Amino acid sequence: MIRVDIANRQKILPIDRGLLRWAVLKALTREGVADAEISLAIVDDEEIRRLHHRYLGEDSATDVLSFVLDRQGDRLEGEVIVSAETACSAAPRYRHSPTEELLVYVVHGTLHLVGWRDDTPTARAAMSRRQRKIVCEVLRS
C-alpha cells in the first residue's frame, strides 16, 4: 500500500491534491514500489530556501528537495518538498503551466527517493527522460 500525505504550505498556486497524489503513485509504481509512506509538502521559495540551507548548506531557493527517511526491505518512507513559487516563475521558460511544472518537481523528487540520480550528464539525461514519461502519463490519465 502506498500512502501519500500532502501539506500545502503556500498561497501562490492553487493545487490539485488528487493530481499530485497520482503523480507520486505513478512514479512509485513505475519504479516497482508497492509499499511506501510519502509526505509531500508544497511550499514557497522562502521556506524551501530555509530547508535547503538547513539540510544541504545551500542558502538559495530550489525547485525540489527529497529525503529518504527510512528504507527497509521493500518499504520506503520519504519526504518530497517542492516550491510552488519556483514552479510559477520557471513554467514559462519550459512552456508549461505552473501546475505542470510543479508535477515535474514532484515526479523528480519521487524518483530521487527510489534511487535515481542526476549528478552526471548521463544520469541527468536518463532521469529527465524517465520523469518526462511519467509526467506525460499523469497528464493523460
Side-chain angles (χ1 to χ4, degrees):
M1 181 173 137
I2 297 174
R3 179 178 168 174
V4 181
D5 293 318
I6 299 174
N8 183 17
R9 300 194 304 249
Q10 56 82 42
K11 296 180 180 177
I12 297 153
L13 179 65
I15 65 159
D16 180 337
R17 289 174 185 270
L19 185 66
L20 296 178
R21 183 172 285 109
W22 182 240
V24 173
L25 291 169
K26 182 68 82 172
L28 291 175
T29 57
R30 288 288 179 247
E31 295 304 313
V33 175
D35 188 12
E37 189 165 335
I38 307 299
S39 296
L40 172 61
I42 301 93
V43 302
D44 59 21
D45 277 355
E46 182 57 30
E47 185 169 353
I48 208 162
R49 184 200 63 76
R50 281 193 310 271
L51 295 168
H52 197 202
H53 183 259
R54 180 177 179 183
Y55 292 105
L56 299 174
E58 299 286 334
D59 193 18
S60 61
T62 189
D63 50 4
V64 58
L65 296 169
S66 59
F67 303 98
V68 173
L69 303 176
D70 193 22
R71 185 87 195 232
Q72 293 184 10
D74 292 335
R75 177 143 177 83
L76 170 66
E77 292 181 25
E79 184 169 13
V80 176
I81 305 158
V82 294
S83 174
E85 192 170 350
T86 296
C88 288
S89 62
R93 185 173 353 152
Y94 300 108
R95 296 185 177 158
H96 295 158
S97 71
T99 297
E100 290 169 332
E101 186 68 10
L102 194 67
L103 280 175
V104 169
Y105 301 167
V106 168
V107 170
H108 186 89
T110 304
L111 288 174
H112 274 308
L113 293 179
V114 298
W116 283 81
R117 301 190 53 119
D118 58 2
D119 52 350
T120 68
T122 302
R124 189 179 311 75
M127 187 174 185
S128 181
R129 283 189 302 273
R130 186 63 168 160
Q131 80 189 23
R132 272 195 311 272
K133 183 176 181 177
I134 293 168
V135 168
C136 286
E137 289 176 5
V138 169
L139 291 172
R140 280 196 309 261
S141 43

